[in-house]
Every structure is written in C-alpha cells, then in structure tokens.
Amino acid sequence: MNISDAKQIRLVEFLRKLGFSPVKRRNYQYWYIAPYRDEKTASFKVNDQLNEWYDFGISEGGSIIELGMKIYNTHNISDVLRKIDEVTKGLPSYQYRTTSVNTADMEEVIQELKVLPLTNHALLSYVASRNIDTELAKHHCVEIHYNLRRRHYFSIAFRNKSGGFEVRNPYFKGCIMGKDISHILYEQSIIQKHVCVFEGFMDFLSYLTLKKECDTIVCVHPPCDYIIMNSVNNLKKTLYTLESYEYIHCYLDNDLAGIKTVETFCGLFGMKVVNEAIRYSEYKDLNDYLKKKKC
C-alpha cells in the first residue's frame, strides 16, 4: 500500500474497523470521541465528503495518514501504511472509495464569489492558533466568500500563478479557480540568486513569522524569492521555475512525500539544493517548529 492507496480508504470505515463509532451524524459529517486522546464531549469530526478529519480540541486535522500517525503514535510513514493495510484488508473493495469534491464541478455551482481583505475574526483567530503573525497573513492572503448549494462559506485564500486560490479554514482545505504554484519575488521583476521552496502557504507564512522574529536556526540570510508548491503534485511546474536559481533552499515536510520531493530536486539540480528541513528535523513541518510541537 502506498500513500495514494491509503487516502482512498473511507475514514469512517477505517475508524469502524478500529472499534470507533460516531456519537452523532449529520449529512456527511460524523462526530466522534477523539480516538487517540481522552475527552468526554465529541470534538473529532470526519467530513465523509472530503474524506478528511478535524479535531477541534487540538486544532489539527488531515487525511488518513495524519490520523494513523496520531492513533499509532509514530511519524514513520511506512509503519503507518503497514498498519492501515492490516486493519483494512477485510473491507470490500467498494468501501475503499469515498465521495469526494470535484473542484471543477464545485466551481460550476459556486455563486456570488467575493474576494475581500483578510479581516474576518474567525479566520484571523485560526491563523493565530497556528502561531502565525496575523499582519503577515493579512498582507499575503485575502478572504473569499461564496455560496455553494444554498450555503454560505468563507475561507482564507492565497493566490497562485494562474489566478486561482488555495483556500483554507479549520474545516476545509482545497483550491478554487485552478491549481498552480505561487511565485513571490523579493524584488519586483528581479530574480534573486536564492529561492526558498515550501509545500503550502501555511509553511510560507510560518517562515515569514520566524524571519520577523529573527530566528537564526531555520531562516537563511540572503535575499530570497519564494516558491510555494501548493501541492507536491505541482512538481513539474516547480522544477521549471527552479531552473532560474543558483541556490535552492527546501523547507518541505519531514515525511515521505517531502523527502522524495527533495530527492527529485537533488537529482536534477545537484549541489544547488539545500535540504533545510534538517534544521527542524524534530518536527513534522515548519509550522510545528513555529508552534514548538515536536514529533
């Protein structure tokens, strides 16, 4: 089993096989007592449409991979995949598929899309909960509001090169109006010698926050441009943009996907690549380093 295979497993079925049943269900939202910590009131939610979970008690969430890390108390991806495979082998094949949101279909039914300055208190509170400087978030992000299937939604939005938005709130992580990388220049129309590469914009904002706090452990000193991949699936677009740089500083996650991506960079660009993730090797990612939350 690989990561892609694991992410096709329906989370509610995975939890059922582990002996956890939802306390309540509303439409495609399943609420549980958190399966990896003690609590009396259910604050762990599975979105069966997105096949993602979010724990309101600790402000964390993600896919089955991150859930496996929590349940099995390990950051070893291979061990997590093996244990997930062992638990789910008895499931009929159709239960490995879940209803997912097709971005293109979603965009067809989005109505009244509005792009506004980032001022919403709930969104800024979410940013602050990640220890990210809210003024930096206001500078680099906006908030979007839209109606989808007769419901109103709002999210933090980070613009990419194609004019689309990477969107994030405590309940949803996705993209609207086209997936692409984001490329931010230190000085307009001038390419620097150095570039820092991040997987997502929360890592980028975490780095800027650390830089503002004069962190000398993680941050590099020369003027740098920034590339935010917005997904490791944007690898080809990232590689094309990296060709212009002499020094490539990689701030990716300390997981299998991050390691493999850096290995690809090294294979193509050799000594130009520096794996800066070793600076926060005790942490899953740059935001966890900012929050001082060790693995």
Side-chain angles (χ1 to χ4, degrees), residues 110-120 123 138-147 152-160 163-167 176-177:
I110 283 179
Q111 297 178 331
E112 299 183 29
L113 177 67
K114 295 180 181 179
V115 181
L116 305 170
L118 179 54
T119 59
N120 182 275
L123 296 178
K138 288 179 183 179
H139 179 74
H140 289 280
C141 302
V142 294
E143 66 181 70
I144 58 170
H145 292 247
Y146 57 91
N147 293 330
H152 181 75
Y153 297 90
F154 59 96
S155 300
I156 302 166
F158 183 74
R159 202 180 295 271
N160 62 40
F165 294 97
E166 305 299 319
V167 296
I176 292 177
M177 299 171 61

Side-chain angles (χ1 to χ4, degrees), residues 6-283:
K7 287 186 177 180
Q8 295 304 309
I9 296 168
R10 192 178 177 209
L11 276 173
V12 294
E13 290 297 329
F14 175 57
L15 287 166
R16 182 181 66 81
K17 292 287 285 185
L18 291 173
F20 299 102
S21 301
V23 174
K24 62 179 178 179
R25 174 187 174 185
R26 183 176 181 182
N27 298 325
Y28 53 83
Q29 310 281 2
Y30 292 72
W31 291 86
Y32 296 80
I33 298 295
Y36 45 76
R37 62 183 182 84
D38 294 329
E39 65 172 354
K40 294 182 179 179
T41 303
S43 62
F44 180 95
K45 183 189 74 171
V46 171
N47 185 319
D48 196 35
Q49 190 174 31
L50 301 176
N51 205 33
E52 293 184 349
W53 61 276
Y54 188 82
D55 187 341
F56 290 84
I58 59 173
S59 300
E60 292 185 22
S63 70
I64 194 171
I65 304 299
E66 289 78 20
L67 179 56
M69 290 178 179
K70 288 283 189 187
I71 290 174
Y72 299 121
N73 193 29
T74 178
H75 284 274
N76 186 308
I77 300 294
S78 297
D79 284 349
V80 170
L81 291 173
R82 177 177 53 80
K83 290 178 179 180
I84 291 173
D85 189 35
E86 290 173 354
V87 168
T88 58
K89 272 183 179 177
L91 293 176
S93 59
Y94 71 89
Q95 289 182 314
Y96 282 70
R97 292 181 170 85
T98 184
T99 304
S100 61
V101 173
N102 183 297
T103 301
D105 293 343
M106 186 177 78
E107 290 175 5
E108 288 182 2
V109 293
I110 283 179
Q111 297 178 331
E112 299 183 29
L113 177 67
K114 295 180 181 179
V115 181
L116 305 170
L118 179 54
T119 59
N120 182 275
H121 176 71
L123 296 178
L124 289 174
S125 295
Y126 172 61
V127 170
S129 74
R130 306 288 294 267
N131 286 12
I132 292 170
D133 186 280
T134 54
E135 293 304 314
L136 288 170
K138 288 179 183 179
H139 179 74
H140 289 280
C141 302
V142 294
E143 66 181 70
I144 58 170
H145 292 247
Y146 57 91
N147 293 330
L148 177 63
R149 300 185 183 96
R150 298 182 180 180
R151 291 189 177 185
H152 181 75
Y153 297 90
F154 59 96
S155 300
I156 302 166
F158 183 74
R159 202 180 295 271
N160 62 40
K161 284 184 67 177
S162 296
F165 294 97
E166 305 299 319
V167 296
R168 181 78 67 88
N169 63 33
Y171 323 107
F172 176 70
K173 176 182 178 182
C175 175
I176 292 177
M177 299 171 61
K179 194 78 174 174
D180 204 345
I181 67 170
S182 301
H183 190 197
I184 299 175
L185 301 182
Y186 178 82
E187 189 173 350
Q188 189 174 1
S189 302
I190 298 175
I191 298 293
Q192 301 294 320
K193 291 183 179 181
H194 296 256
V195 63
C196 296
V197 185
F198 307 92
E199 184 174 334
F201 74 88
M202 285 293 179
D203 293 317
F204 166 63
L205 293 175
S206 297
Y207 179 86
L208 295 185
T209 300
L210 290 164
K211 198 168 183 65
K212 186 175 181 179
E213 295 174 353
C214 300
D215 182 283
T216 58
I217 297 174
V218 164
C219 301
V220 294
H221 300 296
C224 294
D225 294 337
Y226 303 103
I227 294 175
I228 299 88
M229 298 180 69
N230 294 320
S231 170
V232 292
N233 293 329
N234 284 329
L235 181 61
K236 289 185 178 179
K237 295 177 180 179
T238 304
L239 294 174
Y240 176 79
T241 309
L242 287 176
E243 291 178 352
S244 303
Y245 292 95
E246 296 180 24
Y247 304 95
I248 301 168
H249 304 273
C250 298
Y251 289 92
L252 304 184
D253 293 359
N254 283 309
D255 60 11
L256 185 60
I259 292 168
K260 292 297 183 183
T261 302
V262 174
E263 287 177 356
T264 301
F265 292 163
C266 291
L268 290 171
F269 301 113
M271 298 299 292
K272 293 169 64 173
V273 179
V274 182
N275 183 14
E276 304 292 2
I278 61 174
R279 296 174 180 252
Y280 49 95
S281 59
E282 294 180 293
Y283 301 85

